[in-house]
Amino acid sequence: MQTTSRNILLDIFKVIAALFVIGAHCHFLYEYSEVSFRIITNGIFRIAVPFFFCVNGFFLYAVFKNNRMQTWLKRVGILYAIWMLIYFYFWTYLQDFNVLKMMLTLVFGFNHLWYLAALLVGGLVLYQLRKMSNKVLIAAAFLFLLLGIAIQYVGQLHVFSQQPTLDKLLNYPPLHRNFLLFAFPLLSMGYVIRRTNVHTKLSKKLVAILLITSFTLFIAENLIAYYFITGKVILNTYLSYLFLAPMLLIAAFVFKKNANLNSKLLASYSIALYLIHPFIIFLIYRFFTLDSPTLLFVTILVAGIASYLLILLNKKLKYIL
């Protein structure tokens, strides 16, 4: 067991983020409160993946600096390929057989695996632009995320409802939730944080204020979209991701808690929970009918056990986590 002094708070945040993803996919509170579902499940829980991308961008700085991009691409690529194979039955036999649909799924990722597909190519894009100034990268982050948001709203508001094919295309999630319009902006924010070391220069008081402010902006944007723009429609992208996700990353370092423990255990749990939970949800749906809170509890319990087994298996096979 590798035991070192490690910032455990960042790893705790990552595990919590993985649990948030599970909560979103279990549609927590959907049948109980529309507003609570909007604020918690379609709001707070959805910061998880942007946070993951920010963390990835932060650590990509060392990958670029140490010329380990090829190793990183191989690792993420193999991880993606393995889990696409694990879920092969789900994106082939359980969907209407359609060659085009299968090819698109292979490129953009099945279900939650879109994250790995976007990370792989988004990381490659950031690598090509790594020498750009911090101002240019931040400006590009806002520009591309705003473009994705614009496409999302045009689709959800059915601006082109008189042109069914175009309307359907604009409502295809990978058109706006992809490597360029989602992953790259958040990877860039994490990368800039590490390159400038801003996480070591801010006081705890200032970080707390900025974190609360960005969280408030995120909830406000969510509620404005709900009450005045899209109604019940579930959105994938919010502009406030570019404020809240980086602040969560910075807070994890500013309020860091060091502990001596297996340096990869919690990190392994976060990725294992993320990767295995849709399989668990599918099995539960296959045999039981549960309300969302019960489904969430059972899924976390079973996924936790499955994640432990995956961590043990990964020691033998490698690359599955």
Side-chain angles (χ1 to χ4, degrees), residues 6-18:
R6 179 183 174 98
N7 180 13
I8 193 176
L9 188 58
L10 179 60
D11 293 322
I12 290 173
F13 276 13
K14 288 161 68 177
V15 171
I16 292 173

Side-chain angles (χ1 to χ4, degrees), residues 98-111:
N98 182 300
V99 175
L100 177 59
K101 184 184 293 185
M102 288 180 62
M103 292 300 295
L104 289 172
T105 302
L106 191 62
V107 171
F108 292 110
F110 166 75
N111 196 278

Side-chain angles (χ1 to χ4, degrees), residues 136-152:
V136 170
L137 282 177
I138 292 173
F142 275 89
L143 176 64
F144 284 118
L145 196 77
L146 281 169
L147 178 58
I149 291 172
I151 293 172
Q152 175 182 238

Side-chain angles (χ1 to χ4, degrees), residues 6 35 47 53 101 106 130 145 169 180 185 188 220 252 254 307:
R6 179 183 174 98
V35 175
I47 194 58
F53 278 126
K101 184 184 293 185
L106 191 62
R130 67 191 184 282
L145 196 77
L169 176 63
L180 185 62
S188 296
V254 171
S307 295

Side-chain angles (χ1 to χ4, degrees), residues 116-294:
L116 293 178
L119 173 62
L120 183 68
V121 186
L124 192 57
V125 171
L126 181 59
Y127 177 74
Q128 298 299 322
L129 301 177
R130 67 191 184 282
K131 295 182 180 180
M132 294 289 187
S133 70
N134 296 325
K135 290 182 179 179
V136 170
L137 282 177
I138 292 173
F142 275 89
L143 176 64
F144 284 118
L145 196 77
L146 281 169
L147 178 58
I149 291 172
I151 293 172
Q152 175 182 238
Y153 276 124
V154 169
Q156 295 291 0
L157 294 174
H158 299 286
V159 174
F160 295 97
S161 58
Q162 300 302 315
Q163 302 176 50
T165 301
L166 179 58
D167 184 61
K168 186 176 181 180
L169 176 63
L170 290 168
N171 279 284
Y172 182 53
L175 190 64
H176 64 266
R177 190 190 62 185
N178 55 44
F179 73 93
L180 185 62
L181 304 183
F182 195 102
F184 169 74
L186 292 152
L187 288 170
S188 296
M189 297 300 286
Y191 178 75
V192 169
I193 288 171
R194 178 61 184 87
R195 188 162 71 175
T196 59
N197 284 319
V198 69
H199 61 295
T200 66
K201 301 173 183 178
L202 302 178
S203 68
K204 290 183 178 180
K205 182 178 180 180
L206 178 59
V207 170
I209 292 172
L210 292 174
L211 185 60
I212 293 171
T213 302
S214 59
F215 179 78
T216 302
L217 289 173
F218 177 53
I219 296 299
E221 183 181 7
N222 186 284
L223 290 176
I224 289 171
Y226 173 61
Y227 282 110
F228 301 106
I229 305 176
T230 61
K232 297 181 180 180
V233 172
I234 295 177
L235 300 176
N236 290 308
T237 312
Y238 296 93
L239 180 60
S240 46
Y241 282 165
L242 288 179
F243 299 99
L244 182 55
M247 286 313 306
L248 286 169
L249 175 60
I250 291 172
F253 284 97
V254 171
F255 297 98
K256 67 179 181 179
K257 299 291 181 183
N258 291 331
N260 292 322
L261 76 166
N262 183 340
S263 63
K264 293 184 178 180
L265 184 59
L266 285 176
S268 295
Y269 260 110
S270 66
I271 187 64
L273 285 167
Y274 182 88
L275 292 171
I276 198 62
H277 78 271
F279 184 81
I280 305 301
I281 293 174
F282 170 79
L283 289 179
I284 294 172
Y285 274 138
R286 188 74 178 268
F287 299 103
F288 304 98
T289 301
L290 305 175
D291 63 1
S292 61
T294 306

